[in-house]
Amino acid sequence: MLTVEQVMASQKAGIETLLGLTSKAFEGVEKIVELNMSASKVVMTESAEHAKAVLSVKDAQELIALQSGLLQPLAEKSAAYSRHLYDITTGTTTEFSKALEIQAADAQKKLMGLVEEATKNAPAGSEAAVSVMKNAVSAANGALESVQKAVRQATEAAESNFNAVAASAVDASKTVSKKR
């Protein structure tokens, strides 16, 4: 059985983890706000410069050239913004995943300790029930590890796909700019 000290220690650890994760979440939000503020400033400055350039255009050919020259840098900046946003969210998510994995591992250890303690104190003739309980815990641990592995693989695949799409978008903008 769990003692009062063990329960209190568990509660304290849970609260500390929660506070740490809350802090990480706020850090992530703060980084996103900073990124958006910076991007907004850049967009406003560049929009004003572009508007001035459009107003100084002499003919349609010059206007088309000006607009074509805007497409590729815009795609590159959009890709860079998306990449930065992705990095922020991935970093924050990674922190959460690590904390959850640590908590899950701790819970598994405690559960195994409880199962071992129950096994020692089990009455004679309950070996089959103890064996079933151990197998169930072992199967649950295996399932949890499989889920964690699948999440890591999905994250890696998503990052790879994101990089491929971002590179394709920039390449497509270069191709369109060259055709004009």
Side-chain angles (χ1 to χ4, degrees):
M1 250 0 245
L2 291 176
T3 65
V4 173
E5 291 82 19
Q6 290 173 322
V7 171
M8 293 300 291
S10 177
Q11 290 296 320
K12 182 180 177 187
I15 289 172
E16 287 174 357
T17 300
L18 178 64
L19 292 174
L21 291 176
T22 301
S23 176
K24 290 294 179 187
F26 275 111
E27 286 176 21
V29 169
E30 187 176 52
K31 288 177 184 178
I32 290 171
V33 168
E34 288 174 13
L35 174 64
N36 287 336
M37 291 298 293
S38 175
S40 296
K41 286 179 185 177
V42 169
V43 166
M44 286 181 59
T45 301
E46 290 179 355
S47 294
E49 290 172 3
H50 186 70
K52 289 177 187 175
V54 167
L55 293 173
S56 68
V57 168
K58 305 276 188 267
D59 59 18
Q61 192 72 0
E62 192 176 340
L63 179 63
I64 291 171
L66 181 65
Q67 294 296 79
S68 295
L70 182 67
L71 185 62
Q72 182 180 350
L74 182 62
E76 290 172 353
K77 287 176 186 169
S78 295
Y81 171 84
S82 296
R83 180 75 208 162
H84 200 142
L85 184 61
Y86 179 80
D87 288 343
I88 291 169
T89 56
T90 300
T92 302
T93 303
T94 299
E95 292 290 331
F96 275 80
S97 295
K98 285 178 186 175
L100 291 175
E101 285 180 15
I102 290 169
Q103 289 292 315
D106 188 44
Q108 286 174 344
K109 270 198 273 186
K110 287 178 182 175
L111 181 61
M112 288 304 292
L114 288 173
V115 169
E116 291 299 322
E117 189 66 29
T119 302
K120 290 177 188 174
N121 298 326
S126 62
E127 292 81 14
V130 169
S131 177
V132 167
M133 188 181 343
K134 282 185 175 183
N135 287 339
V137 169
S138 180
N141 287 342
L144 180 61
E145 289 172 8
S146 295
V147 168
Q148 289 172 340
K149 182 178 178 183
V151 167
R152 280 192 291 273
Q153 289 173 340
T155 302
E156 290 169 2
E159 184 171 2
S160 176
N161 289 340
F162 177 82
N163 290 335
V165 168
S168 295
V170 171
D171 290 344
S173 72
K174 288 178 183 177
T175 303
V176 169
S177 293
K178 288 178 183 177
K179 287 182 180 180
R180 291 184 177 187

